[in-house]
Amino acid sequence: MVVHPASSSKAPEPALSDADFRRAFKGDIVTPTHPEYTAAIARWAANAARPAALVLFARDAADAALAVRYARAARLPLAVRGGGHSPAGASSAARGAVLDLSRYMAGVRVDAAARRAYVGGGALWKTVDEEAIKHGLAAVGGTVNHTGVGGLTLGGGYGWLSGEHGLAIDNLLQATIVTAAGAILTASRTQHADLFWGVRGGGGNFGAAAELVFALHPQRRTVFAGTLVFPAPRAHAVFAATARWWARPGGGPPPQAGMLQALVVRGGAAEPPCVVLTLFFNGSGEEGRACFAEILALGPEVDTTTTARGGETPYEQVNALQNDAVRAGQGVYMRGAAQAVYSPAVAEAVFARMQELAASEEEEEGARPRVSFLFEFFPLDAINRVPSAATAFALRGPASNVLCICTWDPAPAGGEEGEKRKEAAARAAAHALTELVARAEAAPADARERAYGNYSAAAGARAEGAGVGAGDADADADRDRPARRLFGANYARLRRVKRRYDPEGVFDRWYAIRPADESDGEGEEGGEGEGGEREGGEEGRE
């Protein structure tokens, strides 16, 4: 569990020398000659690994602050690793320093009486799910349990419980943030409220999240959940039934429901194209089957909802349903899009194009990626009850998330050219397929550039040596275009918060925000004591 001193905004201590840092740092320091180095820089996506100069496994928030101060003093690019799940390389730093929270700062403590979870910045959702359910409680998490809590939360955080309780950030009560100055700050509705606003959707732009405190909700121990697999010839019927389910009379499916629809084309006769549905209903098996009755009646080739004991799945296992499909160690390229209205015609066009790409002779067989194209269906009412200006997250509205995931087997050592070809083929496929969704939208540019930030493998990722905030103004403006588009009307305020807590742009690995100019003012007013929100995920005005 994270241990840290009381919140303070006092002036940071002087820069550290190398010798002083090594004497004071309690954690582990891994350099390229260390036997654990290869494992220390490895990431969920093989292509996201970078040759860091050193990896710093912090033991607590004080260690994390030392690591930040040392990286700044040594003029090393800095990345923060929580779960290491970003295919964009946001948790890696070539020839830089990596502050790694995953070894010692990954604990979870549940206060059942207060319905709160105190979560270390390096924790995975699997740990949160398992610890909370012991008390009949749950947090809004993701849909894959080996994802890191910190990255998913700071970027927004959709999950199976979002229909009932909103985003992960809507249930965040407090965050312990290590800033670029090496200060350890408690951010909440009543302390450093401007920082608390910024970290809820602004990603890691303001510091390293040493600890996150979440509101928990009463949760039944078993739920209706499972996977359906339909062969390609039944895709048309599945798409039509999905559209009717999503637009059912009365405002769509109930908030307890959720579904992921994956169009899957792996290539090769051994794995024919198929449509895979992951179903969820936060209720009994009977209630779940009633909710998805029309889809279940289509007769899937595989139906794991019927093999679950008693027709229900332990809640803590739901977030593991997709784990095999997104295993660690593959090359990964992801691209998201936003879709306001689910369209069977668009789904059919995407599925057809996926099969065309798999059959193409333009790429040699080994260079073709395995492609999955996901449509997310989480009821949006609870998410949209929070005003867009109440947190930094600016994507609330009618659109649902779409995600193209392209994976491949990494080239063997020395096969850099082959790896480049594979990644280029994946990038081309992901762009072509998400473009089919964007072009069908009323606002194609928004569908492309205002997609969920956690679903990007490239847009907004910091190019090595090309941060924002300290260089040519025109170049900075061009580099921060992804952030400007993603954050929309919230971007001006984010720039002011950035200027207050990270004026030099030290934290710039994910949708880097350009700090406000001096002419824009000193930052947000009322850094202490701004409030107006209620606990438990429901927010008022800020």
Side-chain angles (χ1 to χ4, degrees):
M1 203 64 255
V2 174
V3 178
H4 58 83
S7 171
S8 172
S9 56
K10 66 181 181 181
E13 298 176 30
L16 286 172
S17 69
D18 185 79
D20 287 343
F21 170 69
R22 290 176 183 272
R23 276 194 299 270
F25 190 73
K26 303 182 294 292
D28 305 331
I29 301 174
V30 174
T31 61
T33 59
H34 195 286
E36 296 179 0
Y37 178 75
T38 299
I41 64 170
R43 297 294 181 262
W44 168 69
N47 54 311
R50 304 285 187 272
L54 71 168
V55 181
L56 306 171
F57 289 95
R59 285 189 177 271
D60 54 27
D63 255 5
L66 283 169
V68 173
R69 289 173 52 209
Y70 175 72
R72 289 189 67 197
R75 298 185 177 277
L76 291 171
L78 177 67
V80 180
R81 189 262 173 96
H85 223 270
S86 165
S91 63
S92 299
R95 299 170 297 283
V98 175
L99 167 56
D100 197 314
L101 310 178
S102 67
R103 182 172 289 181
Y104 300 115
M105 300 175 66
V108 175
R109 177 175 66 84
V110 173
D111 182 339
R115 293 182 182 172
R116 294 188 178 192
Y118 295 79
V119 182
L124 302 181
W125 282 110
K126 180 178 189 292
T127 311
V128 177
D129 294 339
E130 292 175 350
E131 291 301 312
I133 200 63
K134 292 176 183 177
H135 306 277
L137 299 169
V140 176
T143 58
V144 174
N145 71 7
H146 53 70
T147 305
V149 174
L152 181 137
T153 299
L154 299 183
Y158 292 84
W160 293 115
L161 298 182
S162 287
E164 295 180 88
H165 307 302
L167 300 171
I169 56 169
D170 301 333
N171 295 273
L172 184 65
L173 302 177
Q174 178 178 295
T176 300
I177 303 296
V178 178
T179 70
I184 302 171
L185 303 181
T186 297
S188 69
R189 295 172 179 87
T190 58
Q191 300 180 79
H192 302 101
D194 57 340
L195 179 59
F196 189 55
W197 178 85
V199 300
R200 286 177 295 162
N205 268 287
F206 308 105
E211 181 182 79
L212 300 167
V213 182
F214 294 94
L216 300 178
H217 303 277
Q219 177 59 47
R220 58 181 287 136
R221 299 300 180 106
T222 58
V223 298
F224 174 81
T227 300
L228 312 181
V229 181
F230 296 90
R234 294 191 206 169
H236 178 82
V238 173
F239 299 153
T242 297
R244 289 191 292 271
W245 175 80
W246 188 236
R248 62 196 292 177
Q256 300 94 328
M259 182 170 73
L260 300 179
Q261 181 183 92
L263 319 183
V264 181
V265 177
R266 302 296 191 190
E271 297 183 87
C274 60
V275 179
V276 180
L277 305 184
T278 305
L279 309 183
F280 173 80
F281 191 90
N282 196 13
S284 68
E286 182 179 2
E287 292 172 310
R289 282 186 287 275
C291 178
F292 295 102
E294 181 181 358
I295 292 171
L296 290 166
L298 296 175
E301 283 189 339
V302 175
D303 180 0
T304 67
T305 68
T306 62
T307 58
R309 185 175 180 180
E312 297 177 12
T313 298
Y315 173 78
E316 68 272 20
Q317 294 179 15
V318 173
N319 272 0
L321 291 175
Q322 296 189 91
N323 282 7
D324 289 344
V326 285
R327 58 180 171 81
Q330 305 176 94
V332 181
Y333 187 88
M334 300 194 329
R335 183 172 175 83
Q339 186 177 47
V341 180
Y342 175 75
S343 165
V346 169
E348 296 228 26
V350 170
F351 200 32
R353 183 61 178 145
M354 289 169 68
Q355 294 173 74
E356 291 172 3
L357 290 171
S360 171
E361 296 182 358
E362 293 180 10
E363 293 286 348
E364 57 187 87
E365 186 170 345
R368 295 181 198 136
R370 299 178 289 270
V371 184
S372 296
F373 198 95
L374 277 69
F375 295 89
E376 286 188 357
F377 299 94
F378 300 129
L380 299 173
D381 285 352
I383 295 171
N384 291 336
R385 277 199 294 269
V386 179
S388 288
T391 67
F393 187 81
L395 301 178
R396 303 178 197 271
S400 292
N401 298 322
V402 171
L403 172 64
C404 184
I405 307 177
C406 296
T407 64
W408 64 91
D409 296 324
E416 288 81 4
E417 288 304 314
E419 186 69 12
K420 289 179 181 178
R421 286 198 301 274
K422 291 180 179 184
E423 186 160 357
R427 183 184 298 107
H431 281 250
L433 295 169
T434 54
E435 184 62 16
L436 293 174
V437 173
R439 284 207 307 260
E441 291 293 298
D446 283 352
R448 295 183 193 100
E449 299 182 21
R450 303 207 68 222
Y452 182 35
N454 281 344
Y455 283 173
S456 172
R462 175 191 185 273
E464 299 299 339
V468 297
D472 176 78
D474 291 337
D476 277 351
D478 183 61
R479 283 194 290 269
D480 80 343
R481 175 182 168 84
R484 284 187 283 119
R485 292 292 292 153
L486 178 69
F487 297 117
N490 287 343
Y491 190 57
R493 183 178 179 184
L494 280 164
R495 289 189 64 202
R496 295 194 296 271
V497 178
K498 181 74 167 178
R499 181 166 182 254
R500 169 174 281 186
Y501 294 101
D502 184 17
E504 297 177 8
V506 173
F507 296 98
D508 61 355
R509 315 301 297 184
W510 183 90
Y511 284 92
I513 294 168
R514 182 160 53 99
D517 302 324
E518 288 188 18
S519 59
D520 292 328
E522 275 301 314
E524 287 298 297
E525 296 178 2
E528 300 276 359
E530 253 184 30
E533 299 170 276
R534 299 188 298 275
E535 289 190 6
E538 295 183 0
E539 307 206 24
R541 295 193 181 105
E542 275 196 350

